[in-house]
Amino acid sequence: MPCKRKLIVSTYYDENELDDEVHLSKGVFGRLLKLLKKYWILVFCGVASIAFVSWLDAYFTMLNKQIIDDAIVTKNVSLMIRLFGNYSLITLVQLAGFFVMMYSVGLLGEKLRYDLRRDLFNHLQKLSLSYFTKTPLGWIMSRVTSDTEKMADLLTWGITDSIWALTNIGFAVYYMLRLNAQLALIVVLSLPIMIFISFKFRVKIYYHFRRSRKANSKMTASLNENITGVRIVKALLREDQNLKNFKVLSTDMFRESYRAGLLSAIYLPTIQTISAISLVLILWRGGNMVGNSLISVGTLQAFISYIMFILWPIQDLARVYAEMQNAVASSERVFSLLETKPEIVDRSEIIPTNSLVGNVEFENVSFHYETDEPVIRNLSFKIPQGQKVALVGTTGGGKTTIVNLLCRFYEPSEGTIRIAGQDYLNYSLEDIQSRIGVVLQIPHLFSGSIRDNLRYGRLDANDEEIEEAARLAGAHEFISKFENGYDSNVGEGGNQLSVGQKQLISIARALLANPNIFIMDEATSSVDTLTEALIQKGMHQLMSGRTSFIIAHRLSTIKSADQIFVIEDGQIAESGNHQELIRKRGLYYNLYTKQFRHDLESRLDPFSPTDAVESPA
Amino acid sequence: MTTDIKNYKDIDISKITGDKKLPALWHLMHGYHLNFIVANLFTGLAALARTGMYLYLGDFIDRVIQSGIKGSNLFVSALSFGALITLQALSSFISSWMATLTAESATRRLRDYLFDHIQHLPFAYHSEAKTGDLLERATSDVDTIRRFFADQSINMGRILMIFIVSFIAIARINLRLALISIIIMPIVLVISMFFFKSLSRAYEAYQEQGAVLSTNLQENLSGVRVVKAFARQDYEIRKFDQENLKKFKLGKKFVWMHSLFWPLTDILCAAQGIGSNYIAAMMVINDAMTLGQFITFHGLLGWLIWPIRNLGRLIIDTSRTFVSLGRITTILKARQEDMTSASCEPSESIRGDIKFENVSFEYEKAQSVLEDVSFECKAGDVVALLGSTGSGKTSLVNLLPRFYDVTAGKILLDGVNLNEYSRQFLRSQIGVVEQEPFLFSCSIRENITYGVHREVSEEEIIAAAKEAAIHDVILEFKNGYDTLVGERGVTLSGGQKQRVAIARTLLINPRILIMDDSTSSVDMETEVQIRSALENLMANRTTFIIAHRIQSIMNADLILVFDQGKIVQKGVHEELLNQPGIYQDIYEIQARIDSALQEEIDRVNIL
């Protein structure tokens, strides 16, 4: 009976991963099978039940033969009743087996997906920052979302379908040989031809299918761009040209899906026609045999059934074969991600510490990313505990790198960084990073409530402490104006809040963490005066008593610093406090006066856009 | 092969946007109706051939048993059976082929149509619509329709055809047997519809949780610095695990329902099969039926029972098609901008004299954006617009290329009412340089020639880029002008994008120029470069500058100061300087800055 029972559970096809032809290494299959080890019971249940179901699928034909030959032809009613009873019973047993198969394989798939996602995510948490700056976010996302799906599909339905198909073909051949070797030979000879052609077709169909997915994603990208840039499209009268370009893409899409569709349309009828040849031969030879009473009518009928049914397992086998390569390529990518070693790890000997209070010292520190030019050259300075340092200078000078080194997101290529008298490599990463508070230029919030985001600073903080931190940071006022107060949702990435509000929250968050060292990358974007004042106040709170490093853009921040470093080309070009540096009339003087003009201009300009504190939509 | 594609303009929108869904779907196939009909006819033929196959098989067996045929006769009989299978296969092929052709062609046309329709929708539509939503409708909803054409519409016909033909064939053997054999059908149909509905609901919940998981992952990855800075890896792992587990549980539920559905309906179908077979077998024993007829019946019964289960699924899928169609037609119902109709069609470029006469404009009724705006400028003049955000500057310049039309009053261009020109013509005469223009993900060269409706030589491109002070920046990229915008590592700053747009506008050489001159986010050096680029651009064109700072407009021929949609000050620099008002205030800022800076420096020196 032509019933393919499996509803395709996963039809997620990754559109971005079409171009890479991965060379399959042998180790992958071994590693894939290893994933199954943990669930051997489920695997056993699945494999055993599918083999059982598949065997019964082949056996029913034999039972039908028995009914025809032994009961109907001989008019043996009591035997017939017994045979139909058996038939019903076996059907029930098969359905039970089928249920066990569906459930155990389905469950196995979900468990594998869960495991793979968890392992990948956990591994990603260990990787160093450099990995994330080198690897596009979308690439990582596809590994976790779509590759894991494909792997699980291969390990569950891929294997199950193959076993079902192979068992079914095997038993069918076995029964046919038992019934009549001569007729069976006809079928057996046609099998390789049908399998070969099926594989060829399936691979080709899948190839075009994948290309159509790729064409589809290009088409979507083009449409997306046209909608986003519709203003320019209209202003430049590009409609006709863009439609022409789009039509090229939609024609590609048409061509590939049409080819896939056409090949599918040819495929099954071709196989059927080939099987028709064996059927004709069977009917001819078999008919003769029946006429000569060499075989029974039931036997002839059984052969016809086997030939017609065997098309289904062949199709399944071919489909699994065609999709396997891609699924294995997915697995390779996942394994390679899992094998990526974090660049920065704890040293084998760690000095545990619960305080980073003390001086911060850079000694002849140099740093370069991979093999590039050094970004930091031979940098040395010493900051006494509790001082505020402002880092200023043009973009690309190395300010951010200094901060990244300090947080140990990267480690110096040469030289030593000492915190509280110890080479910081001797501390654990966790000890360093949990004692350094960071406020980024573009504050990153997680979707969830304001309270959740604040609590990120200290997970065991109670509501009073959270509120206290928000008060100190100057965030309490705007938060309490929201309808839901601290439980207001910040939206995805905090997009319900203004930049200024996000900054205030990230300051409060850092305050709650109560760090020993405070690092801030000041925002360049302008916020309204009121929020600006609040931010300054919050920063002041954070800096008091803590050694602080500020990549500074605000004049007031710079002026109040104990030390100012002008960073150019990875070195300290000028250092000193505000007065000293102004008197010097050098780089700092120029930077300062330029910034001063700019600030004042935008502050006085009645038309300058401001980022007012507003309530979330 | 007839793969030529009908023009997308063949579709008559009014026939799609009606309330009746099926006629709309029918019309979407316009031009491919014949293919569709052929597909269905051959589906019928395939069903007939298959049924014929079983009938023939029964007959064959009966004759073999009665030793009616032997030798070459037998071979011919066997061959005719093979011929029936081949006919069935061939018909299936033609049917699937035509169905694919219909579905792919019709959806391709629909995609083209939607693309063009969307880009011709007026500004007002785009400012309201969400990109993601439009995209979703133009892609996945269209795909749902494609599946309907390729799959559901044909398969529904196929299943019905197979059912009817098989039923008739069985009924001709024995009517009572035929009727008994379909007792279970309605129950199976209802159950499968019910099941598929809850199955797809469970699947949707599973998919939605997948989206939650993706968002979670994405936030974790993009916030990796925060995670590391607070050493919150363990917390993140726990958080992800919660959502991951939730997805697992939803998956488990889906698997459970799924595993239950098939065996349950299988029991019903199997009971029907076994029961009917039993009755038929008894009939053979009682000589009410031949063995051959029994074999025919046995074969056909499968085709009677099993397709019904899939019918339930098809019905549910079809109801989705209707939803998708509805979502697409809401886009199609929106009116396109009229690009061409005009009562004034100048054969040459315009001069560029512009006059606003009591112009008022509102996006929505009774929400005035511009009120009673009147001014006049000559060809080649520079008009500067000053005012805070929302004061109406942008709305005013949007009126010139007729992105929007005035609500009251009129705008005269070379003495002719703007409405008498076609939008197409106007836009070909007007260049727009936005503050941070949108660049397309093609090469820098293509971005420079984007919208230049003529062949442009390499020399011209380079000359324009030099004039726009962007040439040197472009050469710094490894692939120079062939650098793809948006490629990894290739990011252009706002100012650089603007200069690409300036180079483009120089090549287009429009008579009227609209420019957004807010350079607040650029540092000093580039500001000087942009300024010279802008001066090159403004020469000899009527220019409207949306200005934020006075330096850039001191030489303007007309300065308009806006406040809440009205012109509050009008004149040239010298005039406005001597009038008390916003302009004077702004101007004085510069002087104040200088003295404040001096004061600041002095203070340091005293300390």
Side-chain angles (χ1 to χ4, degrees):
Chain A
M1 248 148 265
C3 56
K4 186 70 203 95
R5 281 118 159 182
K6 197 187 93 196
L7 181 83
I8 305 291
V9 179
S10 151
T11 43
Y12 187 103
Y13 296 97
D14 184 8
E15 285 119 33
N16 309 317
E17 299 303 333
L18 297 161
D19 23 21
D20 38 12
E21 285 298 318
V22 177
H23 297 286
L24 307 180
S25 57
K26 278 182 193 154
V28 184
F29 288 98
R31 294 195 66 171
L32 278 170
L33 290 178
K34 240 184 228 160
L35 293 173
L36 294 174
K37 217 167 142 192
K38 213 165 122 190
Y39 302 113
W40 66 271
I41 298 181
L42 280 180
V43 175
F44 175 78
C45 287
V47 170
S49 53
I50 190 71
F52 180 68
V53 166
S54 173
W55 165 54
L56 288 181
D57 273 337
Y59 181 70
F60 277 126
T61 307
M62 291 300 280
L63 209 55
N64 281 329
K65 179 214 169 265
Q66 234 187 327
I67 291 173
I68 291 172
D69 288 345
D70 301 347
I72 299 179
V73 174
T74 57
K75 300 194 190 289
N76 184 343
V77 176
S78 65
L79 179 65
M80 195 179 82
I81 292 174
R82 227 181 54 227
L83 286 175
F84 267 99
N86 286 350
Y87 201 113
S88 312
L89 216 65
I90 295 173
T91 303
L92 282 178
V93 173
Q94 195 204 21
L95 289 179
F98 187 68
F99 172 77
V100 172
M101 186 277 287
M102 287 288 282
Y103 190 67
S104 52
V105 174
L107 190 61
L108 176 67
E110 290 310 316
K111 282 189 190 269
L112 288 173
R113 287 185 179 89
Y114 169 81
D115 283 357
L116 285 167
R117 286 193 298 258
R118 185 198 53 203
D119 291 351
L120 279 169
F121 188 86
N122 293 4
H123 188 73
L124 282 168
Q125 302 312 302
K126 289 193 204 113
L127 291 177
S128 310
L129 191 67
S130 58
Y131 180 81
F132 298 96
T133 50
K134 274 187 306 211
T135 322
L137 193 139
W139 191 90
I140 305 177
M141 295 279 295
S142 313
R143 300 295 73 76
V144 183
T145 53
S146 74
D147 277 348
T148 54
E149 294 285 332
K150 282 186 219 157
M151 280 172 84
D153 275 349
L154 175 69
L155 282 172
T156 53
W157 297 115
I159 290 180
T160 316
D161 285 351
S162 316
I163 292 176
W164 180 77
L166 289 173
T167 320
N168 195 275
I169 294 173
F171 274 108
V173 169
Y174 167 73
Y175 285 126
M176 282 190 278
L177 280 170
R178 262 185 45 182
L179 286 171
N180 186 293
Q182 202 195 341
L183 292 181
L185 200 67
I186 298 175
V187 183
V188 171
L189 283 177
S190 73
L191 274 182
I193 304 172
M194 288 200 277
I195 291 177
F196 176 76
I197 292 178
S198 276
F199 277 33
K200 282 271 167 219
F201 261 108
R202 274 294 181 184
V203 167
K204 208 79 187 128
I205 291 168
Y206 192 58
Y207 168 81
H208 286 294
F209 171 73
R210 272 158 58 92
R211 297 206 10 156
S212 80
R213 301 306 302 177
K214 193 176 186 176
N216 191 34
S217 66
K218 275 191 185 163
M219 220 167 55
T220 308
S222 155
L223 181 59
N224 185 10
E225 201 170 66
N226 216 49
I227 297 174
T228 322
V230 71
R231 212 183 136 83
I232 311 262
V233 171
K234 283 179 180 299
L236 295 176
L237 289 173
R238 275 282 295 206
E239 291 95 341
D240 291 346
Q241 184 59 42
N242 287 2
L243 178 63
K244 223 191 255 170
N245 294 352
F246 181 80
K247 277 183 169 174
V248 172
L249 299 178
S250 72
T251 304
D252 279 350
M253 169 77 182
F254 168 81
R255 197 177 43 237
E256 297 304 332
S257 1
Y258 177 66
R259 279 185 188 160
L262 184 60
L263 283 170
S264 302
I266 301 173
Y267 165 51
L268 190 57
T270 306
I271 300 289
Q272 277 175 334
T273 308
I274 294 170
S275 78
I277 297 171
S278 17
L279 261 174
V280 167
L281 291 175
I282 295 276
L283 279 184
W284 176 44
R285 295 299 309 148
N288 251 329
M289 289 174 176
V290 173
N292 299 330
S293 300
L294 289 170
I295 57 167
S296 64
V297 178
T299 302
L300 184 62
Q301 148 74 7
F303 266 98
I304 294 165
S305 293
Y306 279 129
I307 294 173
M308 287 169 119
F309 190 72
I310 218 158
L311 297 183
W312 301 106
I314 289 177
Q315 280 191 68
D316 264 11
L317 217 51
R319 189 179 46 76
V320 174
Y321 171 80
E323 288 169 16
M324 188 177 70
Q325 182 151 343
N326 192 30
V328 173
S330 291
S331 317
E332 295 230 313
R333 287 190 295 258
V334 167
F335 288 139
S336 86
L337 174 51
L338 285 173
E339 272 164 10
T340 309
K341 295 251 175 350
E343 281 174 21
I344 292 162
V345 286
D346 287 339
R347 297 297 181 268
S348 49
E349 305 261 312
I350 282 170
I351 303 172
T353 179
N354 48 21
S355 157
L356 292 183
V357 175
N359 303 341
V360 174
E361 193 181 350
F362 275 49
E363 193 183 291
N364 304 325
V365 170
S366 294
F367 177 76
H368 52 79
Y369 294 96
E370 297 191 341
T371 53
D372 292 351
E373 293 258 299
V375 191
I376 299 293
R377 302 156 199 264
N378 207 24
L379 188 71
S380 297
F381 59 78
K382 187 169 183 175
I383 311 296
Q385 156 67 24
Q387 274 207 352
K388 302 180 193 75
V389 183
L391 305 173
V392 296
T394 49
T395 325
K399 292 171 296 185
T400 312
T401 311
I402 294 174
V403 163
N404 281 341
L405 285 169
L406 194 56
C407 296
R408 216 172 138 195
F409 291 156
Y410 295 95
E411 289 172 357
S413 314
E414 280 162 54
T416 315
I417 297 175
R418 283 198 195 85
I419 302 179
Q422 264 303 334
D423 183 341
Y424 83 158
L425 299 180
N426 294 331
Y427 299 127
S428 75
L429 281 166
E430 158 119 43
D431 279 345
I432 295 177
Q433 285 165 357
S434 58
R435 277 164 195 84
I436 295 183
V438 180
V439 174
L440 297 172
Q441 188 172 39
I442 303 157
H444 180 92
L445 300 187
F446 297 89
S447 41
S449 68
I450 292 178
R451 194 188 308 280
D452 292 341
N453 271 290
L454 291 172
R455 192 171 274 140
Y456 209 82
R458 181 147 51 89
L459 296 178
D460 57 4
N462 60 30
D463 287 357
E464 284 77 51
E465 287 168 319
I466 287 173
E467 206 170 301
E468 174 65 22
R471 263 181 222 283
L472 280 173
H476 177 75
E477 199 180 337
F478 85 82
I479 296 172
S480 46
K481 271 191 200 143
F482 291 150
E483 202 185 319
N484 295 319
Y486 283 80
D487 295 314
S488 307
N489 206 314
V490 300
E492 200 171 306
N495 61 14
Q496 303 275 18
L497 303 178
S498 72
V499 182
Q501 291 171 332
K502 284 200 262 184
Q503 268 170 5
L504 287 174
I505 287 179
S506 69
I507 289 172
R509 178 170 70 183
L511 261 173
L512 200 59
N514 193 20
N516 299 131
I517 296 171
F518 170 57
I519 293 171
M520 178 159 179
D521 193 347
E522 259 187 323
T524 45
S525 62
S526 50
V527 294
D528 66 298
T529 345
L530 179 70
T531 314
E532 179 62 43
L534 287 171
I535 291 173
Q536 290 292 333
K537 212 181 103 208
M539 278 175 65
H540 188 72
Q541 281 291 342
L542 258 172
M543 292 189 292
S544 66
R546 295 185 177 100
T547 316
S548 311
F549 291 81
I550 317 291
I551 297 179
H553 302 290
R554 305 265 186 258
L555 297 176
S556 56
T557 316
I558 300 174
K559 269 163 71 179
S560 68
D562 299 309
Q563 288 201 58
I564 299 164
F565 292 161
V566 181
I567 309 290
E568 288 292 328
D569 284 331
Q571 286 169 315
I572 298 178
E574 282 178 21
S575 69
N577 66 23
H578 177 67
Q579 279 85 2
E580 289 162 10
L581 289 176
I582 284 288
R583 286 195 197 107
K584 218 173 183 178
R585 298 222 159 215
L587 277 170
Y588 178 78
Y589 177 85
N590 285 335
L591 275 169
Y592 184 81
T593 49
K594 203 194 277 182
Q595 189 67 33
F596 186 88
R597 275 181 183 284
H598 182 269
D599 275 15
L600 212 56
E601 235 169 58
S602 58
R603 183 137 37 98
L604 296 175
D605 183 356
F607 302 145
S608 82
T610 52
D611 174 40
V613 176
E614 57 212 30
S615 55
Chain B
M1 252 193 291
T2 50
T3 51
D4 65 306
I5 295 307
K6 306 280 185 296
N7 193 306
Y8 75 97
K9 288 185 172 134
D10 291 355
I11 313 183
D12 177 359
I13 286 300
S14 64
K15 289 189 182 159
I16 299 170
T17 50
D19 289 333
K20 296 218 171 81
K21 303 285 193 211
L22 280 175
L25 286 169
W26 177 249
H27 185 70
L28 278 177
M29 284 191 280
H30 179 78
Y32 305 101
H33 287 152
L34 191 63
N35 293 340
F36 184 74
I37 291 167
V38 168
N40 275 302
L41 281 180
F42 275 88
T43 295
L45 189 59
L48 282 172
R50 185 182 290 108
T51 309
M53 225 165 76
Y54 286 107
L55 287 170
Y56 195 86
L57 185 64
D59 192 47
F60 177 84
I61 283 173
D62 277 345
R63 281 195 291 158
V64 164
I65 293 170
Q66 291 149 15
S67 299
I69 40 170
K70 278 216 167 103
S72 63
N73 267 347
L74 185 65
F75 185 69
V76 171
S77 283
L79 213 55
S80 343
F81 183 72
L84 274 175
I85 298 183
T86 311
L87 176 67
Q88 188 266 124
L90 196 69
S91 309
S92 300
F93 159 67
I94 292 174
S95 162
S96 311
W97 174 31
M98 285 297 133
T100 300
L101 187 61
T102 309
E104 296 300 336
S105 312
T107 38
R108 175 201 193 179
R109 182 176 56 192
L110 182 61
R111 284 190 193 109
D112 289 351
Y113 195 100
L114 272 169
F115 182 92
D116 200 37
H117 182 73
I118 289 172
Q119 69 176 354
H120 276 109
L121 289 174
F123 258 71
Y125 187 91
H126 280 285
S127 59
E128 296 284 315
K130 289 198 182 89
T131 308
D133 187 47
L134 276 179
L135 211 54
E136 176 87 16
R137 287 166 193 234
T139 54
S140 58
D141 283 325
V142 169
D143 202 55
T144 309
I145 302 231
R146 184 189 65 80
R147 280 203 302 272
F148 174 79
F149 289 149
D151 191 25
Q152 292 133 30
S153 63
I154 302 287
N155 271 335
M156 199 109 74
R158 195 175 79 99
I159 288 175
L160 288 175
M161 209 59 128
I162 290 173
F163 181 83
I164 292 167
V165 174
S166 303
F167 181 79
I168 292 174
I170 296 173
R172 284 191 51 189
I173 299 170
N174 188 307
L175 182 62
R176 238 187 69 217
L177 188 61
L179 289 173
I180 289 169
S181 299
I182 56 166
I183 291 175
I184 211 100
M185 301 292 98
I187 306 171
V188 173
L189 186 63
V190 168
I191 290 185
S192 68
M193 277 171 72
F194 167 77
F195 248 108
F196 273 116
K197 209 163 196 174
S198 26
L199 262 183
S200 55
R201 221 177 283 135
Y203 188 60
E204 265 158 36
Y206 177 73
Q207 291 289 77
E208 268 163 34
Q209 182 61 20
V212 171
L213 212 56
S214 290
T215 310
N216 195 310
L217 173 67
Q218 199 216 322
E219 282 194 359
N220 173 272
L221 294 176
S222 58
V224 63
R225 289 172 65 108
V226 176
V227 176
K228 289 193 182 302
F230 285 97
R232 283 287 171 265
Q233 286 89 343
D234 291 341
Y235 172 76
E236 286 291 313
I237 285 173
R238 278 201 304 279
K239 197 165 82 177
F240 184 81
D241 194 54
Q242 268 176 20
E243 300 297 341
N244 196 9
L245 198 65
K246 217 187 256 175
K247 185 170 186 203
F248 168 74
K249 285 183 179 149
L250 286 168
K252 198 169 153 185
K253 185 179 163 201
F254 177 72
V255 165
W256 170 253
M257 289 173 68
H258 201 212
S259 324
L260 218 55
F261 167 65
W262 295 109
L264 270 183
T265 44
D266 273 6
I267 286 187
L268 291 174
C269 295
Q272 172 78 70
I274 292 169
S276 299
N277 269 315
Y278 180 77
I279 294 170
M282 283 306 287
M283 287 168 76
V284 179
I285 289 176
N286 297 330
D287 289 325
M289 196 194 259
T290 67
L291 185 60
Q293 283 175 327
F294 173 76
I295 286 171
T296 301
F297 170 76
H298 178 78
L300 287 176
L301 189 63
W303 290 98
L304 201 58
I305 296 175
W306 301 101
I308 293 300
R309 207 168 44 169
N310 277 329
L311 193 59
R313 177 178 176 176
L314 287 177
I315 291 171
I316 299 299
D317 283 351
T318 305
S319 67
R320 283 194 183 168
T321 305
F322 290 164
V323 174
S324 286
L325 181 70
R327 283 159 54 83
I328 290 171
T329 49
T330 48
I331 300 180
L332 292 177
K333 273 180 195 160
R335 287 281 292 272
Q336 294 190 8
E337 251 180 339
D338 177 2
M339 291 301 289
T340 48
S341 65
S343 51
C344 172
E345 294 174 73
S347 52
E348 309 172 0
S349 290
I350 47 155
R351 283 196 314 280
D353 299 332
I354 290 169
K355 191 175 183 190
F356 274 59
E357 279 180 14
N358 311 97
V359 168
S360 293
F361 173 67
E362 51 200 34
Y363 291 103
E364 280 167 54
K365 277 247 166 342
Q367 286 200 332
S368 164
V369 181
L370 288 173
E371 225 180 301
D372 201 21
V373 171
S374 299
F375 68 90
E376 194 173 348
C377 72
K378 297 230 157 36
D381 276 0
V382 174
V383 180
L385 313 171
L386 265 176
S388 58
T389 318
S391 62
K393 299 169 301 189
T394 312
S395 303
L396 185 137
V397 296
N398 275 343
L399 295 175
L400 291 169
R402 287 186 62 197
F403 290 155
Y404 294 95
D405 284 333
V406 297
T407 337
K410 61 183 170 186
I411 303 171
L412 300 176
L413 172 60
D414 291 353
V416 179
N417 192 328
L418 209 58
N419 293 341
E420 293 185 23
Y421 299 100
S422 70
R423 290 186 174 84
Q424 175 128 27
F425 175 76
L426 279 174
R427 288 176 197 175
S428 71
Q429 302 293 314
I430 299 175
V432 180
V433 176
E434 296 183 302
Q435 183 192 350
E436 195 167 308
F438 180 85
L439 293 189
F440 293 84
S441 55
C442 42
S443 69
I444 294 182
R445 177 184 292 106
E446 285 166 294
N447 266 297
I448 291 179
T449 57
Y450 198 94
V452 184
H453 300 280
R454 60 184 166 93
E455 284 295 312
V456 188
S457 70
E458 189 68 18
E459 291 77 45
E460 261 187 290
I461 294 174
I462 292 174
K466 278 185 177 158
E467 223 176 318
I470 189 71
H471 178 69
D472 294 335
V473 177
I474 296 171
L475 290 189
E476 272 172 33
F477 294 123
K478 208 168 76 191
N479 296 323
Y481 282 85
D482 294 318
T483 307
L484 289 177
V485 173
E487 208 175 30
R488 233 200 300 173
V490 179
T491 42
L492 292 150
S493 70
Q496 289 170 342
K497 285 183 192 168
Q498 195 179 38
R499 279 178 283 161
V500 168
I502 289 172
R504 169 163 72 202
T505 315
L506 281 166
L507 287 174
I508 295 172
N509 194 20
R511 298 309 311 143
I512 299 174
L513 180 66
I514 295 170
M515 213 164 63
D516 197 331
D517 172 41
S518 13
T519 45
S520 58
S521 60
V522 224
D523 58 65
M524 289 293 193
E525 204 175 328
T526 44
E527 204 177 311
V528 174
Q529 289 177 327
I530 289 190
R531 192 145 313 286
S532 78
L534 290 180
E535 271 158 25
N536 288 332
L537 186 58
M538 279 152 44
N540 299 321
R541 302 174 217 278
T542 312
T543 305
F544 286 78
I545 310 180
I546 297 177
H548 290 266
R549 30 183 45 205
I550 292 207
Q551 297 99 305
S552 56
I553 58 172
M554 285 196 321
N555 299 324
D557 299 292
L558 179 64
I559 298 167
L560 305 172
V561 183
F562 280 83
D563 190 28
Q564 297 185 347
K566 288 186 199 132
I567 296 180
V568 286
Q569 280 185 297
K570 177 155 66 170
V572 293
H573 176 69
E574 286 76 22
E575 293 166 14
L576 295 179
L577 205 55
N578 298 319
Q579 271 175 24
I582 301 178
Y583 192 84
Q584 204 179 48
D585 294 348
I586 300 173
Y587 187 75
E588 281 169 2
I589 288 172
Q590 214 51 44
R592 272 162 65 194
I593 289 173
D594 283 336
S595 64
L597 183 61
Q598 198 51 50
E599 238 172 75
E600 169 85 14
I601 305 289
D602 289 348
R603 201 178 318 134
V604 169
N605 288 331
I606 291 161
L607 280 169

